[in-house]
Amino acid sequence: MKSSIIKFLPAAAVALAVGGCTTVPPFGGYDDEPMAADQVEVVDQYYGGDSQYAADATGAYGYTSPIAASGGVYEEYESEEAIQELLNTLTVYFGYDAANVAGDFRNVVVAHGEYLAANPDVTVTVEGHCDERGSREYNIALGERRANSVKDLLVAQGADERQIVTISYGEERPAMEGSSEQAWSKNRRAEFLY
Amino acid sequence: MRLKGLSNTLLILSLLLWNAQAAAALTIEITQTVDAGVPVAVVPFGWVGGGAGLEQDVAAVVRADLDRSGRFKNLPVRKMVAFPQTGSEIDFDAWRRLNLDHLVVGQIRPLGADRYQIRFQLFDVVRKEQLAGYKMNTTARDLRTTAHRIADIIFEKLTGHRGAFATRVAYITSIKQPGGGREIALNVADADGFNAQTIVSSPEPLMSPSWSPDGQRLAYVSFEGGKPGIYVQDIYSGKRQQVASFPGINGAPAWSPDGRRLALTLSKDGDPDIYVLDLQTGQLRQLTDHYAIDTEPAWSPDGRWIAFTSDRGGGPQIYRIPSAGGEPERLSFKGGYNARPSFSPRGDAITMVSRVGKQFRIGLLNLRTKAIRILTEGALDESPSFAPNGSMIIYATKVNGKGELAAVSVDGRIRQRLAMQVGDVREPIWSPYSKAQ
């Protein structure tokens, strides 16, 4: 099918999330039968009950879906096209003075991590970058924190550490010149170089 | 433990990168001076020899130095009443009528091919007495340096503080190339912006220059080869050596006052920590060990302390640790962002980058009172460094989106702007006093 396939976690694994409801709600996008354990992926995202989405400790959020609202933890299983699109995305952006991979960029990094896990011969360089504000060597350290944050998420998807090289350029290689908010937001980034 | 780089005695004479060529000149503009500068006249020096004399106007260099300090009011040459070359030729009353306090006269005589002797005298016009008089031998090439030394002597006699005109500034330039990309260069120029020389250039980032205490070498970070390494380079011979190339960050080199060690930042064990590298033995000692960012080490002038930036408390703040090892102690408590410390020559203050609202400015942290004074008014000011006499702080700023250098006196009353015609300039580091002085 063209639309997303939804995998779901067994109730036991769901307990950390919303809890309570153990019935699988009727929904037209997934198999009604529970998956075998080896098909189940533990997600490190969770839903925060009634909120649209809830930031976790690293500021990432889970999806809102009808299923989630009724009490399960699910992970969207993307179409090949969607995954390719995520893999074609080679830059993820960060908030000011932040190093957590947040929002939709988490999907991007997860897709790259799964790709690396499935292709152990592939290596990638993750570059961390900063905007121009503040001191230069502190920004080198901050850029490294960003690159490592991406690396950790790649490894969490099963990629091997040896597939990943990180380097921080701090504010030394801006993607966009200028001292505007727009330029700064374009420069706070991590880049995948395959 | 020995470093990889040193064990191979990797002495690279990189002709490809090293080219001590003339670099784009910096021009200096005084943007603010003290209201009541000391009135002084530096009379054009006389030529005692045949021919047309020197092209280089030595007195003009002295005048420009004194002007640039912001503490003097020079009498323009066109308003001078006479052009004495020695003390005996001075009519003090005539100069006194111009409300002049001090007068400088001098002579230059050739000493054979390309060698000269400069004699100069500094007089108190009111008391009609000589305050200083020197004979200085020099060469054609060193005429400007000798002029800066004369300015240093005048400055010290009249202000009580050692002059810092015969010093240099190292800085990074970034110039867009016609074919795309940028050329990054590490340069050294005299403190008045003249004699700019490129020490090393690269299409990859160069950053964080640090002077050796003898002013002969620079340590810096280069990303050549696609990863950061720390290099030490003799600025005269161009000889250089890679001293650190660990996995992760190799950054923020800072020369110890005794010249034997470099403090630096390495993240080889997972997060950035401060280390001290013995340049003779290659011995590496870890000084801080914290999962937060520790970087930007700076030695106190007595070598006992290393100040650094750490975000162990949340945001970046200034800490210090004994250079022999010990417990870190937080120094900055005001504001959410204080980074990149650099000690005053007397060791009683630290200049740093401080965020004020949304602006990044140059702060001065008084180490006795812990008070922070903001010295600048820019939005993106960074990389402050003291002149070796402690009078001025040079730093990087942005003007209309272009990287420029600026300097401000510690009391905030004198301001200078150092601009280049093309490209961006940043990371200025004032040299120590030259040993030859």
Side-chain angles (χ1 to χ4, degrees):
Chain A
M1 72 191 76
K2 174 110 172 78
S3 66
S4 299
I5 303 164
I6 305 294
K7 285 194 272 187
F8 73 92
L9 294 176
V14 170
L16 70 124
V18 192
C21 179
T22 54
T23 55
V24 177
F27 184 72
Y30 61 98
D31 295 329
D32 279 344
E33 293 297 313
M35 289 182 180
D38 62 353
Q39 292 177 272
V40 174
E41 295 180 49
V42 176
V43 291
D44 59 353
Q45 301 165 352
Y46 62 89
Y47 297 107
D50 55 0
S51 63
Q52 175 77 8
Y53 57 80
D56 67 10
T58 61
Y61 64 84
Y63 306 109
T64 299
S65 79
I67 303 160
S70 53
V73 171
Y74 300 87
E75 185 186 17
E76 283 187 60
Y77 187 86
E78 307 282 357
S79 69
E80 280 73 10
E81 289 95 331
I83 288 170
Q84 194 53 54
E85 200 179 314
L86 291 172
L87 288 175
N88 288 344
T89 304
L90 296 173
T91 308
V92 297
Y93 297 97
F94 294 84
Y96 171 64
D97 206 18
N100 57 298
V101 180
D104 293 341
F105 297 118
R106 210 172 164 86
N107 304 346
V108 173
V109 178
V110 166
H112 283 275
E114 289 176 346
Y115 171 74
L116 288 167
N119 299 278
D121 294 337
V122 174
T123 58
V124 68
T125 297
V126 179
E127 290 183 359
H129 298 270
C130 299
D131 70 33
E132 65 179 342
R133 292 174 292 174
S135 74
R136 303 188 92 93
E137 285 282 0
Y138 182 75
N139 280 341
I140 288 284
L142 186 56
E144 180 179 76
R145 196 180 263 174
R146 284 177 180 152
N148 283 338
S149 163
V150 169
K151 179 183 177 178
D152 290 348
L153 195 48
L154 295 173
V155 170
Q157 312 312 312
D160 192 301
E161 281 196 26
R162 286 166 295 188
Q163 291 175 270
I164 307 154
V165 174
T166 56
I167 183 170
S168 172
Y169 282 102
E171 63 177 283
E172 306 302 315
R173 280 187 161 178
M176 185 175 174
E177 300 208 2
S179 299
S180 60
E181 288 287 349
Q182 193 202 0
W184 292 336
S185 67
K186 289 285 179 210
N187 291 333
R188 294 188 301 265
R189 70 198 195 277
E191 291 187 15
F192 292 103
L193 275 84
Y194 281 100
Chain B
M1 170 185 174
R2 284 175 66 86
L3 292 187
K4 272 180 285 180
L6 286 181
S7 61
N8 297 336
T9 38
L10 192 65
L11 202 69
I12 309 168
L13 217 171
S14 176
L15 295 171
L16 190 79
L17 282 161
W18 181 67
N19 41 355
Q21 65 196 15
L26 286 168
T27 54
I28 301 187
E29 180 193 322
I30 322 296
T31 49
Q32 187 182 312
T33 63
V34 294
D35 295 332
V38 178
V40 62
V42 182
V43 179
F45 289 2
W47 172 251
V48 188
L54 287 175
E55 248 178 70
Q56 180 66 62
D57 185 343
V58 172
V61 175
V62 176
R63 235 176 272 130
D65 281 348
L66 298 177
D67 263 342
R68 210 154 30 82
S69 77
R71 292 170 201 274
F72 296 92
K73 212 171 75 190
N74 264 297
L75 185 73
V77 176
R78 64 187 153 78
K79 289 194 176 167
M80 291 182 186
V81 288
F83 296 94
Q85 297 179 15
T86 62
S88 56
E89 295 174 17
I90 299 172
D91 172 1
F92 287 104
D93 294 330
W95 293 97
R96 190 58 209 149
R97 282 193 288 275
L98 297 171
N99 286 323
L100 206 70
D101 291 353
H102 300 96
L103 185 64
V104 178
V105 298
Q107 285 185 326
I108 303 170
R109 62 187 69 224
L111 298 175
D114 263 6
R115 294 185 62 246
Y116 306 96
Q117 183 176 77
I118 301 178
R119 296 178 181 189
F120 84 95
Q121 292 161 285
L122 166 66
F123 289 93
D124 181 321
V125 174
V126 180
R127 293 182 180 169
K128 304 181 183 178
E129 70 185 27
Q130 179 173 319
L131 299 178
Y134 287 91
K135 284 190 276 190
M136 303 163 100
N137 290 353
T138 185
T139 61
R141 202 190 61 150
D142 288 335
L143 272 173
R144 288 193 72 91
T145 305
T146 306
H148 294 316
R149 299 226 155 101
I150 293 169
D152 279 342
I153 292 166
I154 296 167
F155 185 88
E156 183 163 357
K157 280 287 169 196
L158 300 186
T159 69
H161 299 286
R162 192 170 174 184
F165 301 115
T167 55
R168 286 170 295 177
V169 174
Y171 54 96
I172 304 284
T173 54
S174 168
I175 299 174
K176 268 188 187 157
Q177 298 302 292
R182 282 176 169 268
E183 183 181 66
I184 317 294
L186 168 59
N187 309 278
V188 172
D190 293 349
D192 64 353
F194 279 78
N195 292 331
Q197 303 274 308
T198 296
I199 301 302
V200 62
S201 67
S202 169
E204 307 287 338
L206 293 167
M207 59 188 297
S208 305
S210 169
W211 285 99
S212 63
D214 63 4
Q216 304 281 305
R217 289 174 292 168
L218 285 165
Y220 56 89
V221 175
S222 169
F223 279 70
E224 62 201 68
K227 56 183 185 176
I230 297 175
Y231 296 79
V232 165
Q233 183 165 334
D234 185 297
I235 64 170
Y236 297 105
S237 71
K239 267 189 199 164
R240 66 177 200 149
Q241 188 176 12
Q242 188 186 58
V243 297
S245 60
F246 291 95
I249 294 172
N250 295 269
W255 229 296
S256 65
D258 65 11
R260 300 201 330 251
R261 292 161 292 169
L262 276 186
L264 40 87
T265 302
L266 302 174
S267 66
K268 63 190 179 67
D269 295 329
D271 50 73
D273 282 309
I274 310 293
Y275 292 76
V276 173
L277 171 67
D278 186 309
L279 288 168
Q280 252 92 59
T281 65
Q283 198 94 35
L284 189 67
R285 190 162 49 86
Q286 184 167 2
L287 207 56
T288 69
D289 186 5
H290 196 283
Y291 58 83
I293 292 171
D294 291 341
T295 187
E296 300 174 336
W299 296 80
S300 63
D302 62 8
R304 285 178 58 214
W305 299 96
I306 288 178
F308 62 100
T309 309
S310 177
D311 73 345
R312 58 184 64 202
Q317 294 293 346
I318 308 299
Y319 292 73
R320 75 171 182 184
I321 189 168
S323 59
E327 281 305 306
E329 169 196 357
R330 184 166 164 179
L331 296 178
S332 64
F333 292 93
K334 246 187 102 183
Y337 189 114
N338 293 297
R340 233 231 41 163
S342 181
F343 277 92
S344 66
R346 281 197 309 199
D348 56 352
I350 280 175
T351 182
M352 61 197 180
V353 178
S354 298
R355 193 176 61 207
V356 182
K358 288 189 164 186
Q359 323 279 309
F360 290 82
R361 295 182 170 164
I362 304 307
L364 189 64
L365 171 63
N366 181 319
L367 289 176
R368 195 173 45 79
T369 64
K370 301 286 191 283
I372 294 173
R373 205 147 47 83
I374 302 300
L375 298 177
T376 65
E377 292 159 351
L380 292 162
D381 299 342
E382 61 180 27
S383 306
S385 132
F386 274 94
N389 66 356
S391 64
M392 302 285 287
I393 292 169
I394 194 167
Y395 61 99
T397 186
K398 282 230 163 163
V399 178
N400 301 323
K402 200 165 157 306
E404 290 189 357
L405 307 185
V408 60
S409 62
V410 199
D411 58 15
R413 293 196 299 169
I414 300 158
R415 294 177 191 279
Q416 304 168 359
R417 182 179 157 192
L418 300 82
M420 273 200 328
Q421 284 304 102
V422 287
D424 294 294
V425 55
R426 59 192 185 223
E427 294 202 78
I429 309 289
W430 215 307
S431 79
Y433 285 117
S434 154
K435 283 281 190 284
Q437 198 165 358

